[in-house]
Amino acid sequence: MTAPLRLVPDGPAPEAHLRPARTLHAIARVSHGPVPLDFDRLAAEFPAVRSGLALAGEADLELRLACTGPEELRTIAAALHRAGAAKVHVDLVLRTLTPAPVTLRPVP
């Protein structure tokens, strides 16, 4: 016995309409306070946190963010301060740069 065939209309999945668009991209550079921040907790608490880097230098942590808008970005920056960050510096991402493919040319 086979299952009945069900046709699905083209286009995005219905649940895609329920999720807000994350069109505001930013990089947050964070300096720890006396206690290091818990990256895993931050990523679990805020869906805008896409990835992070632990750094040696002026900043201790760099977070790649994809926010629904300025309000969510402000909320995350405030939450980082409440979590114990001594300094939070946010830069907006204007565009993503990707290297062009290398074109090989014959040697004369």
Side-chain angles (χ1 to χ4, degrees):
M1 187 168 172
T2 60
L5 178 64
R6 293 185 185 173
L7 298 177
V8 178
D10 287 342
E15 61 272 2
H17 297 293
L18 302 176
R19 288 176 277 166
R22 298 194 167 277
T23 57
L24 178 63
H25 295 263
I27 303 293
R29 289 178 186 84
V30 181
S31 298
H32 295 310
V35 178
L37 297 175
D38 183 353
F39 171 76
D40 293 323
R41 186 187 62 76
L42 290 170
E45 186 176 343
F46 298 104
V49 176
R50 296 296 185 218
S51 64
L53 297 170
L55 304 174
E58 189 175 326
D60 297 307
L61 185 64
E62 181 175 281
L63 301 175
R64 192 178 121 238
L65 306 171
C67 300
T68 56
E71 185 175 320
E72 184 180 29
L73 182 57
R74 284 190 294 272
T75 299
I76 292 171
L80 289 169
H81 283 293
R82 283 193 308 274
K87 180 179 174 187
V88 177
H89 178 84
V90 176
D91 290 313
L92 298 179
V93 175
L94 300 178
R95 64 182 178 172
T96 302
L97 304 175
T98 55
V102 176
T103 304
L104 299 176
R105 296 186 182 125
V107 176

